[in-house]
Amino acid sequence: MRVSRLKLLDPDLVPTPLRERLPHSVEIAELTLNMERRRRVVLKSLMSMWGKLSNPVLTSPAERGAIVRNTLDALGGVFIKLGQLLALRNDLFPTEFCLALSDLHDRATAFPPGVARRYLEEAFGRPLESVFSEFSPVPVAAASIGQCHIARLRQGGHLVAVKLQRPDAPSMFWRDLDLFQSLLGPLSLLPSSELFNWEDALWELQDIVKEELDYRYEAAALATFRKKLRKHENIYVPQVFTEWCRPNVIVLEYIPGVFMSELLHVKETDPEKVLRWQRDNNVDLEVVGRTLLQSLYRQMFEEHLFHGDLHPGNIVLLKDSQVCLIDFGSVGRLDIDFLDSFHGYMKALAERDFETAILNMLSTSANLPNVGIDSIQAELLNAFRTWHRKTLVPDLPHHEKSVQALGDYMQPVLHRYRMSMNWSFLRMNRAFGTLDIAIQKLLPTLDHPSEMKRYQKGARKRARKKAWNVRPSVLAMIHSGAILRHREEASLALTHASSLRRVEQLGRLRFKSSLTKGEFLILSTMRAVQVGAVVLGLVLLAFWLAWQGPLPLDLLTGASESPAGSQWGLPRFAWWEGLLLLALCGKAFLSANRVVTRLHETVT
């Protein structure tokens, strides 16, 4: 990547426009902070959505997804983020439903220019003219968290994008989170609610909101990715001007390129125009597609963090087939334990070793089914082989043989066994899914296992280059041939260790599955104890009320003045005996609840 002395984008890499740039029409409205009205609107919208989804005429997952998407889109804020999380759950929902949700667009009205100027000056602690020599008061884009302005820094004269957070965003987002938390009780009563992991979803939402409401997280991510992705061929990350970044403001280099979303749209309507633009700017779309895919592999498995939202609107095309990535508000981070299993999963896919791939995938599962692990392994193996057969047919559409398509083939199996994946796996799958929107247009005949193998080869080469330290002793070993023997021995040892690891991994999964069966039995028993305690408590309460006076039917008819308990032949006991029995029932209920909670913590 050619850069200037100031480490900004080389002007020679700025491409010619693909089409005439029209000014964006962003609606401007005054800020409103009516808390109670917001709660009523949210509850009314959710109830209306539930009524539409209950319509038996609706049978298409795409139609249901469109209803949910439109509702969440209208609510904005946290509900946009919730919809994006639900779009990850292709282990629970049909693909058409998830695709409908993935089309959520976070759009909102912008706040007035005067408000924007006042909040920027408060954030910088100085007049706006002392920071920018030029500032566009009308934003070019607006979302529920913030809006973006174009400006020119007075110091250095660099053209920059200024993202300013909405003043009402923190109160609205945290209020919506509290509302969602209050809905967790009713949601947990729905069928199969345990598969959704609503508590984990709440934690994910809280984590997302915390990071997105503080732009310093995005500024730090930009600086980190800029350093790490500098080694990735043909990838560029904008410079962030940290001295002007605040919790509610971020200033970064403006990249005047062509958005991938713009190119894909023009490619559908006027392909000849795209071909002319490619020739003028020396852009090979196949090179661009492989650059993006190989970079994503490297981000995941070598950098241990990745851009989590590589949809076409976050990819900017430059000259010479170079690419700029923008919007690092959604960043995925990987812990070493999960990364080891997922790397093994992708490596096994590249080598078409589907049994090992399934073992690695199951080891990342949030919960295993209440059946032997061999049953689900056999069914998943059929799904993997179906996907593999389709990857070998060049003429098939990309959406039938992509990494996302593999999830589609697994989804019925996972759903049948009431099994769900953990959020790390889902986020990584989502990253591939968003990138697939561009890949299926750029590389329609792509064979994913072969592309993974290409990455593995490059990764080994980079690892050797990094680790290679030519010392005299190493040179002597090379000349004597000893290094070849060492490599052969190491290779045999690695193969043996891999076999042992596979056997051990299968044993752990079988043990975990057996624990799941035991958990199911104990949970059933403890829940029966809880129900029995509640029923017994209600019966005792009825007995006690019966001894205190006539039953409601006797009061209406006036049939008797004697205690109703004696008429019904109920056993008599003192008030303190009843309280003692009720206390024992409550203790049994709480004890069973503690066993259930502790069992979940132990197994998971």
Side-chain angles (χ1 to χ4, degrees):
M1 173 64 67
R2 293 173 291 164
V3 295
S4 67
R5 288 183 301 171
L6 297 176
K7 297 183 180 180
L8 300 180
L9 182 69
D10 188 338
D12 291 340
L13 292 177
V14 177
T16 58
L18 182 58
R19 59 182 177 180
E20 183 183 358
R21 293 292 175 88
L22 299 175
H24 294 273
S25 58
V26 178
E27 184 182 352
I28 295 178
E30 295 291 337
L31 295 171
T32 57
L33 292 171
N34 191 327
M35 306 280 189
E36 190 56 37
R37 185 176 181 276
R38 171 70 175 173
R39 177 179 289 270
R40 290 198 302 269
V41 167
V42 168
L43 291 176
K44 183 179 178 181
S45 298
L46 293 179
M47 291 298 294
S48 175
M49 179 187 74
W50 183 259
K52 293 176 183 177
L53 292 175
S54 302
N55 187 347
V57 176
L58 284 178
T59 57
S60 168
E63 290 179 328
R64 294 179 180 274
I67 291 172
V68 177
R69 179 195 64 214
N70 293 337
T71 302
L72 300 181
D73 203 1
L75 290 175
V78 163
F79 294 95
I80 293 283
K81 309 302 175 187
L82 176 61
Q84 292 169 350
L85 285 181
L86 292 177
L88 299 177
R89 301 311 304 265
N90 59 354
D91 58 333
L92 300 178
F93 300 117
T95 304
E96 296 85 354
F97 183 89
C98 294
L99 286 176
L101 285 182
S102 66
D103 197 32
L104 275 166
H105 299 290
D106 191 2
R107 293 182 295 259
T109 57
F111 44 92
V115 177
R117 168 179 283 272
R118 184 171 73 252
Y119 275 92
L120 279 171
E121 290 181 341
E122 288 179 3
F124 294 142
R126 62 179 68 187
L128 204 59
E129 289 75 16
S130 66
V131 180
F132 304 115
S133 58
E134 300 174 20
F135 181 81
S136 173
V138 179
V140 294
S144 53
I145 285 186
Q147 59 192 43
C148 183
H149 298 259
I150 305 299
R152 188 176 296 277
L153 284 174
R154 183 167 292 282
Q155 183 181 2
H158 307 304
L159 197 63
V160 293
V162 182
K163 290 173 63 175
L164 173 63
Q165 188 178 111
R166 292 180 64 88
D168 58 347
S171 59
M172 182 181 72
F173 270 70
W174 288 116
R175 184 181 64 252
D176 285 351
L177 268 177
D178 290 340
L179 179 57
F180 177 68
Q181 187 170 8
S182 67
L183 294 173
L184 286 183
L187 287 174
S188 65
L189 301 177
L190 296 175
S192 303
S193 61
E194 70 277 4
L195 299 180
F196 287 86
N197 297 325
W198 289 114
E199 293 291 343
D200 289 345
L202 176 63
W203 183 87
E204 288 283 335
L205 280 175
Q206 290 171 337
D207 195 50
I208 290 171
V209 168
K210 181 176 68 175
E211 290 197 9
E212 293 200 7
L213 287 178
D214 190 339
Y215 284 160
R216 289 174 298 184
Y217 285 100
E218 184 176 350
L222 270 163
T224 301
F225 273 91
R226 183 174 169 83
K227 179 180 178 182
K228 289 182 176 292
L229 269 58
R230 189 177 294 131
K231 300 172 291 184
H232 295 208
E233 187 178 1
N234 294 339
I235 295 289
Y236 184 78
V237 176
Q239 173 72 53
V240 60
F241 297 90
T242 53
E243 63 270 30
W244 301 116
C245 292
R246 303 290 187 271
N248 59 343
V249 179
I250 183 170
V251 178
L252 64 152
E253 178 185 5
Y254 177 73
I255 305 297
V258 173
F259 284 95
M260 178 70 76
S261 54
E262 179 185 358
L263 180 132
L264 295 180
H265 177 73
V266 177
K267 188 176 173 64
E268 291 291 330
T269 57
D270 192 352
E272 289 299 323
K273 188 173 186 178
V274 171
L275 288 175
R276 289 194 300 271
W277 180 86
Q278 287 181 243
R279 286 194 297 268
D280 293 343
N281 295 277
N282 190 28
V283 173
D284 186 330
L285 294 184
E286 288 193 7
V287 172
V288 170
R290 285 199 162 84
T291 294
L292 290 167
L293 195 53
Q294 291 294 324
S295 177
L296 182 57
Y297 287 141
R298 288 187 65 177
Q299 291 173 43
M300 289 180 174
F301 302 128
E302 297 176 41
E303 318 299 353
H304 300 175
L305 75 167
F306 58 95
H307 193 303
D309 196 15
L310 282 175
H311 66 76
N314 287 337
I315 301 170
V316 181
L317 298 173
L318 306 171
K319 280 186 176 181
D320 300 337
S321 300
Q322 304 206 35
V323 179
C324 176
L325 306 182
I326 62 172
D327 194 355
F328 287 82
S330 176
V331 173
R333 296 175 179 83
L334 302 173
D335 60 83
I336 298 301
D337 291 338
F338 172 79
L339 184 64
D340 181 59
S341 294
F342 193 80
H343 194 187
Y345 168 76
M346 298 297 286
K347 184 174 183 292
L349 280 186
E351 297 172 354
R352 296 170 172 83
D353 182 3
F354 300 130
E355 292 185 0
T356 301
I358 291 170
L359 288 176
N360 280 285
M361 187 200 72
L362 291 176
S363 66
T364 68
S365 172
N367 62 310
L368 286 173
N370 297 316
V371 296
I373 198 66
D374 297 327
S375 302
I376 190 171
Q377 189 179 10
E379 292 197 36
L380 286 174
L381 189 58
N382 288 332
F384 274 70
R385 286 172 175 165
T386 300
W387 171 76
H388 176 242
R389 285 194 297 271
K390 296 198 173 188
T391 64
L392 301 177
V393 183
D395 295 335
L396 280 179
H398 180 267
H399 69 268
E400 293 187 23
K401 53 185 181 180
S402 65
V403 174
Q404 191 83 357
L406 176 57
D408 300 341
Y409 300 133
M410 290 192 293
Q411 193 271 338
V413 180
L414 300 177
H415 185 73
R416 184 161 58 254
Y417 286 99
R418 301 174 64 81
M419 179 180 166
S420 59
M421 308 308 297
N422 67 24
W423 285 105
S424 294
F425 191 95
L426 294 169
R427 280 195 297 270
M428 295 183 78
N429 195 49
R430 169 66 175 166
F432 282 109
T434 53
L435 183 57
D436 264 347
I437 298 172
I439 293 297
Q440 64 182 333
K441 302 294 185 181
L442 305 179
L443 298 168
T445 61
L446 178 69
D447 175 9
H448 271 281
S450 297
E451 196 64 27
M452 293 173 199
K453 208 163 188 176
R454 183 197 298 265
Y455 163 74
Q456 296 289 341
K457 183 178 179 180
R460 288 193 295 269
K461 184 177 179 181
R462 286 187 293 273
R464 285 196 299 267
K465 184 178 179 181
K466 183 178 180 181
W468 193 258
N469 184 10
V470 182
R471 297 187 301 269
S473 58
V474 175
L475 288 173
M477 292 177 67
I478 292 174
H479 288 304
S480 66
I483 194 167
L484 295 177
R485 291 195 299 274
H486 278 290
R487 284 188 177 180
E488 290 176 0
E489 292 172 2
S491 178
L492 289 173
L494 185 62
T495 303
H496 181 64
S498 178
S499 300
L500 289 178
R501 181 177 177 274
R502 180 173 173 177
V503 172
E504 180 185 358
Q505 189 178 30
L506 182 58
R508 285 200 306 268
L509 288 172
R510 283 176 175 155
F511 176 68
K512 189 176 178 182
S513 181
S514 67
L515 277 180
T516 309
K517 292 184 204 175
E519 179 197 18
F520 178 75
L521 179 62
I522 297 174
L523 284 177
S524 301
T525 304
M526 290 300 101
R527 284 169 180 161
V529 170
Q530 288 178 304
V531 172
V534 171
V535 171
L536 182 58
L538 292 175
V539 170
L540 289 172
L541 183 62
F543 282 2
W544 185 77
L545 290 174
W547 275 110
Q548 301 310 305
L551 292 176
L553 182 62
D554 297 328
L555 289 174
L556 291 175
T557 58
S560 174
E561 296 180 0
S562 60
S566 60
Q567 291 185 3
W568 286 75
L570 300 178
R572 182 175 186 131
F573 50 84
W575 64 268
W576 61 269
E577 293 174 328
L579 289 179
L580 180 60
L581 288 172
L582 285 175
L584 291 174
C585 290
K587 182 173 177 56
F589 180 86
L590 294 175
S591 298
N593 190 60
R594 280 196 297 271
V595 170
V596 170
T597 303
R598 183 62 182 273
L599 188 61
H600 275 306
E601 291 174 351
T602 304
V603 175
T604 57

